[in-house]
Amino acid sequence: MMVMMYPRTLLGLLLCCTVSAQAAIQIQGVQDEGIYADQVSFTVSSQADATTTATLNGQAIAIDQEIDVTVPEYYELFVQQQPLAGGDLETQRVRFIVRASERGSTENGLPLWTPYVNIPSAPAEFIDGQLTCLLPQTYPTGLELPLAVRITDDQGRRMPVNGTVEVNGLDESEVTLFRGVGSVFLPADTHTVSLEVAGLIATHEVTLEEDTQWQTLSSDIVSNIDFGEQARIYIRNVTDDQLTIAAGATMVVGAGSVILIDPDITLNLEGTLLVQGTAEAPVVITAPDRSQPWGGFLLETAGASIVMDYTIITASGADTAWFDDHPNSGHSHQSEQGLFYISNEAQVTLNHCALLQNSGQIGHGESGYFTLNHCLVQQAITMGQYNRGAVIGYDTAFIEFPKAGDPFIDDDNDAIYLSGGAHAFTDCLFGWTLDDGIDAGEGAEGSVLVDNCWFESCIHEAMAWSSGPRHATVRDSVVLNCGQAIECGYGTPYIDAANCLVTGNVVGARFGDNYDRSYTGTLDVVDSLLLYNHRDIWTVDWTTWEPRLAQCDLHDNWVTQANANYPDNELWSVQDSNTQAALIAPFEPNVSLVGIGFAVEKDVQDMTLLLEPIVVRLSRFSSQTVDVNYCLTLDDEILASGNLTFPPGQTVQKIEGLPAPVSMMQLTLSDPIQVELTGITQITYVDAADLIQPLVDQNSLWQYAKGMSEPAADWSELGFDDTSWLIGLMPMGYEASSGYQDCLATVVSDMRNQYYSLYARHSFTLDDPAQLAELYLTVNFDDGYIVYLNGFPVDERNAPNPVAFDQYASGSHEACCGSCDLAAIDLTEFMPLLQTGDNVIAIQGHNRTLDSSDFMLDVALWGVKRL
């Protein structure tokens, strides 16, 4: 027998390896740098010969148990495994993202977030304020009366206050203030305008003209013309819908004038337009019917210029596909027509103007020059895109794009988009946008100065800097309640920010964004307050999944979260209250109290929302520590109570861990210290199903007519005789391919290639409209519609232009077939249209193309009963 003899050293080596071998860390279900839609589940497995521990974003999690992650966010899973027999500690880090599919790729690594609602300012915030407005003194009967409001201090500066200006005591006419500015259109028969907010009162009389004598303007202006003051100019019957002010010609319009422009008409400026309104007698430029907009101003030559003083402009933007129809007009993120198209060094200057509820964009620039001084720009698709040239803003508010509170859509609804050129904004307000405040990216090298500006409630970035090279200087500015405050994105942006207050945002200062592109810029933030943001500093870049340390210089800032990557900043919590107050003071008006309330739209909420964190918010930041108590009661029995403390600079707190709802419960704020109760301070939680009063159900029976001809003018009104119309159940439509075929109750198979539109009416009765507190609508549609309540238009999406039976929808939209979670459209402001007894809801639906493969329309209307 042969015996194998191993060398002693080899045997020892084999034994050693057997003893010290460690099992690898085992993680199932998630991988490093993974991106998961809506949710992901994973398990960290234990090993028999080791102790395994794990944390997820710093919080300990269970081993050998499936962990479900459903909250959109950036996550770091950190696992440690220590062999029981000794040896090296094994570690593994897994970085991953759960992304909300409803937001697409716009918010990689960010929590699902929508800006919190405004809290009214305390009366103390209005002290020494003045209520001023821009309002015509003499106006034609039959036109809605435009009103722009501004709260200023004794030096004429806008005061950053929120609140509601009561107008004539009518809820439907009140003005919502967004940091000191707001607007409304008053009924056409208004002749006395009484305004009141926080003890500030103003009254204005408007003379309504009984028989306005209009001067028709149909031909081009080829020589100088001065229409004088109080002119009544009606631009109509224009050849090819374009009227030109020729090169060398100047058109002057005096104070108190009104310019009425028919639908689709564009004014082509080769010469000069001077509009000389005054504070007491502004000029108004509008359409006979604001639902049928006129075009805009076209400035395409170097000598073209517009100068407007104290002018109100509304109802422009007729062509929803203007940039598609004018393919050589430059690059725009949006296709809608602009109020101003400015190219080839043409110039537009607006002083003390109000651009209100324009249907398209406010403007577009191709090496043009646009200056706005002391203006209000409110409610449009966007302020527009400006390629090269310059946009200069001073003491101007750019707010509501397209409208505060609208449901999120990923459609580039920025306050303003800048590409190339040298732009500057001083003392300006940007906010309440469905995308960014300032988006400066793509295109040629350029610079932007932001000095002493205020950004609020931008759903994505307050300032998104990218491409270029882009040189951005940000000084002495405030950013709050935005997705991300200061973002250094793709390309080569060089960001220099100093002396800013950035609080209550998702991210304070960020390097990187959501794109897989090159990142060669730099982010410098110094001497700033980055406070109480979800992340004060965040520099993870998705091309590397690592912080870009070499490209970020963040030092001498005050932060509420220590960041080991940026150690040269000071923790806010270690500063004494006097130091904190002194640091906030430069950003804070000299007032003693701010407002506080629940960050909700309604004071009656579904009781299931008690299971979620309940947000309490200040009207703005304070240099003082403020306190408020809260109490949850059921039939006067206290179920839970507590205290919320807001240190200086903090604007948001959350109430969590309340008892599960069992019946009608009330949550109340009380006992404020260094703060005043101004917003909603008591919420009643109820079973929402008990309060819903259906008025028109989905799948209901409707009278309808095919859009082969224009219906009678009163087709949407209560008294219209629809007995000759067809009868059918909703949903109505057709499907020539696949998708909607299983969801249609009434099929209009002849619609394809024959007609664009469908008209439908449904009557309902209401015993007492006063018993309803709220009114809501849902529409499941493909591709556009207009809804009428008792003959009055109350909502529209992708409406045709002009509104006619043979016109196509202005945009595309896919209906939902199957399990649908449709957004509720708030029609509460239109409740005065309801009447006791019979009412009617009517809708006209439009397809995008005549040969479209599908079309659908379905409607529901319901009210919420008053408690």
Side-chain angles (χ1 to χ4, degrees), residues 30-36 74-77 93-98 108 540-546:
V30 67
Q31 63 181 8
D32 194 37
E33 300 184 11
I35 299 178
Y36 304 93
Y74 167 75
Y75 292 94
E76 288 194 359
L77 170 62
R93 181 180 65 156
V94 177
R95 302 155 297 176
F96 65 95
I97 288 172
V98 173
N108 269 354
V540 176
D541 168 37
W542 303 130
T543 61
T544 64
W545 286 71
E546 295 288 352

Side-chain angles (χ1 to χ4, degrees), residues 716-757:
S716 64
E717 297 178 11
L718 185 60
F720 176 72
D721 182 4
D722 58 14
T723 55
S724 64
W725 284 25
L726 300 168
I727 301 176
L729 290 170
M730 283 202 179
M732 297 178 175
Y734 71 87
E735 177 59 75
S737 180
S738 62
Y740 301 160
Q741 67 276 7
D742 295 331
C743 294
L744 297 172
T746 300
V747 177
V748 285
S749 55
D750 62 340
M751 184 173 185
R752 191 182 191 195
N753 294 317
Q754 292 199 58
Y755 52 94
Y756 282 106
S757 59

Side-chain angles (χ1 to χ4, degrees), residues 409-598:
I409 52 174
D410 183 17
D411 200 23
D412 283 311
N413 295 107
D414 306 310
I416 191 167
Y417 194 99
L418 304 172
S419 175
H423 313 282
F425 302 94
T426 303
D427 298 334
C428 289
L429 171 67
F430 298 85
W432 295 273
T433 74
L434 289 188
D435 204 345
D436 306 329
I438 296 177
D439 190 345
E442 293 191 0
E445 181 173 4
S447 64
V448 185
L449 170 66
V450 176
D451 182 23
N452 198 38
C453 292
W454 186 297
F455 296 80
E456 185 167 358
S457 298
C458 303
I459 199 167
H460 284 157
E461 289 79 37
M463 290 166 274
W465 311 110
S466 56
S467 192
R470 188 83 50 232
H471 303 271
T473 302
V474 184
R475 292 288 184 272
D476 305 307
S477 294
V478 170
V479 186
L480 71 158
N481 201 35
C482 295
Q484 299 175 94
I486 304 171
E487 179 194 78
C488 178
Y490 69 87
T492 315
Y494 300 108
I495 313 307
D496 175 16
N499 304 310
C500 295
L501 171 57
V502 177
T503 181
N505 306 283
V506 177
V507 179
R510 181 182 180 185
F511 186 98
D513 51 32
N514 301 313
Y515 306 109
D516 185 11
R517 301 181 183 177
S518 64
Y519 292 81
T520 56
T522 59
L523 174 64
D524 297 345
V525 182
V526 300
D527 297 323
S528 294
L529 309 180
L530 308 176
L531 309 177
Y532 301 105
N533 304 288
H534 178 64
R535 294 189 183 94
D536 291 338
I537 298 172
W538 199 37
T539 62
V540 176
D541 168 37
W542 303 130
T543 61
T544 64
W545 286 71
E546 295 288 352
R548 289 294 187 100
L549 303 182
Q551 294 168 255
C552 300
D553 185 11
L554 297 102
H555 64 88
D556 294 320
N557 301 295
W558 288 263
V559 297
T560 45
Q561 305 156 9
N563 190 315
N565 293 317
Y566 307 98
D568 297 328
N569 297 295
E570 296 188 49
L571 272 177
W572 186 248
S573 59
V574 304
Q575 310 299 316
D576 63 73
S577 59
N578 290 333
T579 299
Q580 292 175 339
L583 290 168
I584 290 177
F587 304 97
E588 182 186 43
N590 185 26
V591 297
S592 57
L593 296 177
V594 298
I596 193 171
F598 291 113

Side-chain angles (χ1 to χ4, degrees), residues 174-209:
E174 63 188 21
V175 178
T176 299
L177 289 175
F178 298 88
R179 296 300 171 197
V181 292
S183 63
V184 73
F185 283 85
L186 302 175
D189 59 353
T190 303
H191 53 82
T192 299
V193 180
S194 299
L195 310 174
E196 181 175 1
V197 60
L200 306 181
I201 298 174
T203 300
H204 300 268
E205 295 295 330
V206 179
T207 300
L208 298 179
E209 301 166 349

Side-chain angles (χ1 to χ4, degrees), residues 294-316:
W294 58 285
F297 295 101
L298 190 63
L299 297 88
E300 296 183 292
T301 59
S305 68
I306 293 176
V307 178
M308 294 183 177
D309 299 327
Y310 294 98
T311 303
I312 302 171
I313 310 178
T314 185
S316 71

Side-chain angles (χ1 to χ4, degrees), residues 42 79 196 263 310 327 505 533 582 668-669 700 751 760 792 831 842 862:
F42 68 88
V79 182
E196 181 175 1
Y310 294 98
N505 306 283
N533 304 288
T668 306
L669 297 177
S700 55
M751 184 173 185
F792 190 87
M831 285 180 55
W862 72 94

Side-chain angles (χ1 to χ4, degrees), residues 335-365:
S335 62
E336 292 87 357
Q337 184 173 14
L339 169 57
F340 300 102
Y341 179 89
I342 315 166
S343 65
N344 296 315
E345 300 186 353
Q347 299 186 41
V348 172
T349 301
L350 307 180
N351 302 306
H352 302 279
C353 294
L355 315 181
L356 309 177
Q357 295 188 26
N358 288 278
S359 297
Q361 304 185 73
I362 293 301
H364 182 86

